[in-house]
Each structure stands twice: as structure tokens, then as C-alpha cells.
């Protein structure tokens, strides 16, 4: 099933490299996804293709106008498309939301703002408002790339299925440490168990490291998690060693 993205932006050129590199490039070539870039200015009916103006009531900064944005939405929206407004005021993106955006049948329209904000009336034409975290960006373009990247890699066939089953967050835990050649780097050696060829021992070591890393860095992720008896025991050991 193909996932189609439409991006509404004032800066179409920002997407050139994004679409020409690595997994996104491959997904486009394989037609697993399509990305259509729409320049909001093309929908302005004002002189100089104006799309923003001062805010009523006074105050710093320009506000994106409703008419060109809403025209761009209506001209490009297709049946079953989820219209997403990118704003720091939106719901924060999580892996679970990326999963459902990837697995449902809906195509996505991502609206990137700039300046001080969107005219409030634009909100009546969107299905969802998304943020990518608690910090402020100059515009929604980087956020839209984050969302497309995160959703695309979950779409079937883009990457090897197994490689995202172990992802940090998809099982709500952080990844275990990984190593590649050389075996010894500045005196630091790869843990012996990884060279043992003993699959069960390696799997156990990885699970232990996952629990340890999550406990030390993101203990919040361990709340409300159901662990096996073995995992419980490991976690107790990790907590005792930390005292
Ligand atoms: Cl979606 N937009 C902007 N402008 N800033 C953000 C954001 C979005 N998410 C986090 N910060």
C-alpha cells in the first residue's frame, strides 16, 4: 500500500536534499511513498503573492493568512486524507502515533507555517495538530520531515522488518549497545559475549543492557511495563548495582 504525502510550504526548496537521500530516496524510487510539494504562495490572490500580514490587535510578527492556506488545502486534499497542521501547540509526536499513521490507509497532508503563527480560522480545516517536541522551530518544515521520515521507515518493505522491531521506543525500551569492527579501539574491546557465537547468551546480554540503559537514562519508560520473571530479576539486580 502506497503512502502519499502532500506538504504545504512557503519554502519548497528545503525538501530537495531530504527527498534525494537514503531511505526516503529509496522509498520514493520504489513507489512505497510519494511526496508532493505545494507552494502556498501559488494560492495567494494578492499582489506580490502575499501570504502573511500583521496581526489584528497589534504585536510582533507576521501571521499566515487563512485564504491562501485554506485554498491550498482544498485544491490538494484527496479522499481519506488526514490534514495535519504543524505547530508547537499540537499533540507531541510519539512512536505509537507514527505507527498508526504508517499502518492506516490515510494519506497525509502536512501544513508548514512560518512567522508568528497561523490565522486561527485555519484550524477549522485541519484534522490534527502535531508538534515534534517542546522547543520552538522557525517553521514547520523540519517537523514535517521528521514526521515523514518516522512514518516512511515504518511503511512495509522500506527497511528490513526486523530492524525496527528492536527500535528504541517501539517496545518502549531503549536500544542495547552495538559494536562493529575494529575489535579493539584505543584499548576498548568489544564485549566477549558478542563473539561467543552463543545466541541465547547474546540475546540475554542484549535484553539486560536494554533494561539497564533504560533504567539509567529513561526510568519513566519502565513504568506500567509488564516484564517477564527473568526481566524482573535482571532489573532488581541492575537497581541493586546502582545503589
Ligand atoms: Cl510542528 N512547528 C514549529 N514551528 N516548532 C515546533 C514544532 C512544530 N514542533 C516543535 N517545535
Amino acid at each position: 500500500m502506497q503512502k502519499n504525502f502532500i506538504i504545504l510550504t512557503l519554502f519548497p526548496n528545503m525538501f530537495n536534499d531530504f527527498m534525494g537521500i537514503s531511505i526516503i530516496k529509496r522509498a520514493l524510487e520504489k513507489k512505497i511513498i510519494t511526496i508532493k510539494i505545494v507552494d502556498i504562495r501559488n494560492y495567494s490572490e494578492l499582489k506580490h503573492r502575499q501570504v502573511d500580514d500583521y496581526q489584528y490587535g497589534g504585536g510582533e510578527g507576521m501571521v499566515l493568512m487563512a485564504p491562501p492556506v485554506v485554498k491550498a488545502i482544498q485544491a490538494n486534499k484527496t479522499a481519506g486524507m488526514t490534514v495535519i497542521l504543524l505547530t508547537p501547540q499540537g499533540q507531541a509526536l510519539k512512536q505509537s502515533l507514527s505507527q498508526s499513521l504508517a499502518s492506516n490507509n490515510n494519506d497525509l497532508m502536512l501544513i508548514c507555517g512560518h512567522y508568528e503563527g497561523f490565522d486561527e480560522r485555519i484550524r477549522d480545516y485541519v484534522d490534527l495538530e502535531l508538534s515534534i517536541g517542546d522547543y520552538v522551530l522557525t517553521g514547520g518544515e523540519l517537523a514535517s520531515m521528521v514526521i515523514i521520515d518516522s512514518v516512511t521507515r515504518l511503511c512495509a518493505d522500506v527497511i528490513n522488518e526486523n530492524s525496527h522491531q528492536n527500535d528504541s521506543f517501539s517496545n518502549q525500551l531503549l536500544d542495547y549497545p552495538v559494536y562493529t569492527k575494529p575489535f579493539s579501539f584505543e584499548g576498548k574491546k568489544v564485549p566477549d559475549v558478542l563473539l561467543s557465537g552463543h545466541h541465547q547468551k547474546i540475546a540475554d546480554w542484549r535484553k539486560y543492557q536494554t533494561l539497564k540503559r533504560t533504567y539509567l537514562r529513561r526510568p519513566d519508560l519502565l513504568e506500567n511495563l509488564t516484564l517477564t520473571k527473568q526481566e524482573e530479576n535482571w532489573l532488581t539486580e541492575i537497581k541493586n548495582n546502582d545503589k
Side-chain angles (χ1 to χ4, degrees):
M1 184 194 62
Q2 190 180 59
K3 185 67 89 182
N4 303 295
F5 299 97
I6 301 183
I7 302 167
L8 270 48
T9 177
L10 296 168
F11 301 97
N13 291 340
M14 278 184 76
F15 296 89
N16 295 346
D17 280 353
F18 173 68
M19 291 168 52
I21 290 168
S22 184
I23 286 179
I24 302 299
K25 179 186 181 190
R26 253 192 298 151
L28 286 164
E29 285 168 355
K30 291 208 236 160
K31 305 209 189 311
I32 291 159
I33 62 165
T34 68
I35 301 177
K36 178 178 170 187
I37 311 286
V38 171
D39 187 341
I40 295 168
R41 280 188 199 282
N42 292 342
Y43 294 87
S44 169
E45 291 176 354
L46 302 176
K47 245 195 294 187
H48 312 302
R49 308 209 298 158
Q50 183 186 352
V51 290
D52 59 315
D53 211 330
Y54 298 101
Q55 55 181 308
Y56 281 113
E60 285 295 302
M62 306 295 272
V63 173
L64 202 51
M65 296 167 139
V69 175
V70 172
K71 280 203 188 83
I73 295 170
Q74 289 169 341
N76 292 284
K77 187 176 169 175
T78 57
M81 181 164 267
T82 304
V83 179
I84 300 174
L85 191 70
L86 299 169
T87 161
Q89 299 168 26
Q91 169 191 337
L93 183 70
K94 291 219 176 339
Q95 188 68 13
S96 53
L97 181 63
S98 294
Q99 286 280 6
S100 61
L101 293 176
S103 58
N104 73 24
N105 278 321
N106 299 333
D107 292 327
L108 302 178
M109 177 180 281
L110 299 158
I111 307 168
C112 308
H114 250 265
Y115 317 121
E116 270 318 289
F118 298 95
D119 185 293
E120 188 64 17
R121 292 165 291 189
I122 293 170
R123 296 196 143 90
D124 293 344
Y125 302 83
V126 311
D127 301 310
L128 182 65
E129 297 187 25
L130 280 186
S131 157
I132 61 163
D134 292 339
Y135 40 81
V136 179
L137 303 169
T138 54
E141 283 76 11
L142 290 170
S144 76
M145 291 184 230
V146 167
I147 293 165
I148 292 174
D149 189 289
S150 165
V151 170
T152 297
R153 62 188 294 287
L154 293 170
C155 290
D157 296 331
V158 176
I159 50 174
N160 169 354
E161 282 287 326
N162 292 329
S163 81
H164 50 78
Q165 277 169 12
N166 294 326
D167 281 355
S168 294
F169 300 112
S170 67
N171 55 9
Q172 304 177 61
L173 298 174
L174 303 186
D175 282 347
Y176 49 77
V178 295
Y179 298 86
T180 186
K181 288 173 185 171
F183 171 69
S184 179
F185 174 68
E186 298 198 340
K188 294 179 266 281
K189 298 201 169 61
V190 175
D192 284 334
V193 60
L194 298 178
L195 289 92
S196 68
H198 194 305
H199 298 302
Q200 189 55 52
K201 277 192 184 149
I202 292 170
D204 286 351
W205 181 85
R206 286 177 169 164
K207 192 65 194 208
Y208 185 93
Q209 296 299 321
T210 278
L211 289 167
K212 181 175 171 184
R213 186 157 275 195
T214 307
Y215 171 72
L216 294 174
R217 298 185 184 193
R218 291 291 306 276
D220 56 299
L221 297 177
L222 290 169
E223 288 161 25
N224 314 317
L225 203 68
T226 32
L227 298 176
T228 65
K229 193 76 206 137
Q230 174 67 271
E231 289 166 349
E232 290 282 7
N233 291 340
W234 281 334
L235 194 55
T236 306
E237 183 183 324
I238 289 162
K239 287 177 181 172
N240 286 335
N241 287 341
D242 192 40
K243 278 178 189 152

